[in-house]
Amino acid sequence: MSGSAIRWPKGTGVPLGGVWAIGVASGAAILWAVPSYYRDPDAPTPTVPRRVGVTALIERDGLYLVERRADSEAGEWAFVGGGLDEESVLETLHREVLEETGLEIEQASVFGVFSDPTRIIAYPDSNICRITSIAFRVQLRGAADPAPSDESRGMRFGSSDELAILPFWSVHLPIREALLSDDGRVVVA
């Protein structure tokens, strides 16, 4: 883990299974642990309405780009993505890919919509929500290497076989599984 771990005083962090969130100082930014859950009976109960996000399945030469999340204490891997702000879904996709990789999108097409209500994220501000993800197949403009942002500890392109064994952020597990068993149809799960 880059930076130093800071254990915040009780009452100023997020209670996660009895343990308070750990902030990670990385340069000027402080990143917090952001646990996610999928089909976990011990997942916390959502406290805010469902949120919508985008996920970029960035493919190059048969390999897929994944990032090692800086906000995961376990160093889990995930696809690039993020939440919608006051913008369209495609504007969000372009913004997130540029922010997290430094690269621009050449082409994007819908891969699937993932709305299983057991996909839950616990944010550092104490908001806990269900998440709906709209996943896109993405081709990047040019052949430059991605430049990871402060949101990741690193990035790599991996084969389907490699993706299958990487420890993944829980809310991205159904997206990964759908990608690995892809039959060419749009997924609605």
Side-chain angles (χ1 to χ4, degrees):
M1 184 180 298
S2 64
S4 57
I6 303 165
R7 191 158 297 274
W8 299 98
K10 189 170 182 173
T12 61
V14 180
L16 306 171
V19 176
W20 291 88
I22 295 176
V24 178
S26 173
I30 296 181
L31 303 175
W32 295 84
V34 179
S36 72
Y37 305 86
Y38 175 58
R39 296 185 177 169
D40 184 341
D42 296 324
T45 302
T47 59
V48 297
R50 182 183 296 261
R51 292 187 179 165
V52 177
V54 296
T55 303
L57 305 176
I58 300 170
E59 188 268 335
R60 181 182 284 166
D61 299 324
L63 304 175
Y64 293 93
L65 183 65
V66 290
E67 66 176 343
R68 184 162 234 166
R69 295 183 60 90
D71 59 6
S72 165
E73 291 176 340
E76 297 159 314
W77 293 84
F79 299 110
V80 170
L84 269 71
D85 289 326
E86 297 298 319
E87 58 201 343
S88 74
V89 170
L90 281 176
E91 288 169 338
T92 301
L93 181 68
H94 283 266
R95 176 181 53 79
E96 288 292 342
V97 168
L98 183 61
E99 285 177 0
E100 294 186 32
T101 69
L103 302 173
E104 294 182 350
I105 294 174
E106 177 73 29
Q107 178 180 326
S109 60
V110 174
F111 174 75
V113 178
F114 297 83
S115 62
D116 183 317
T118 68
R119 295 175 65 239
I120 296 172
I121 297 176
Y123 289 98
D125 62 3
S126 298
N127 287 321
I128 301 167
C129 67
R130 289 182 170 82
I131 186 85
T132 293
S133 299
I134 304 166
F136 291 86
R137 291 182 178 281
V138 171
Q139 297 293 318
L140 297 172
R141 183 170 292 137
D145 289 333
S149 72
D150 287 343
E151 294 181 34
S152 69
R153 295 183 197 170
M155 295 184 156
R156 64 181 277 208
F157 283 92
S159 68
S160 294
D161 289 341
E162 292 170 315
L163 292 185
I165 61 172
L166 287 175
F168 247 71
W169 198 45
S170 295
V171 296
H172 279 189
L173 287 172
I175 300 169
R176 178 186 70 177
E177 297 312 311
L179 179 63
L180 295 176
S181 63
D182 183 26
D183 63 6
R185 294 183 287 181
V186 172
V187 177
V188 178

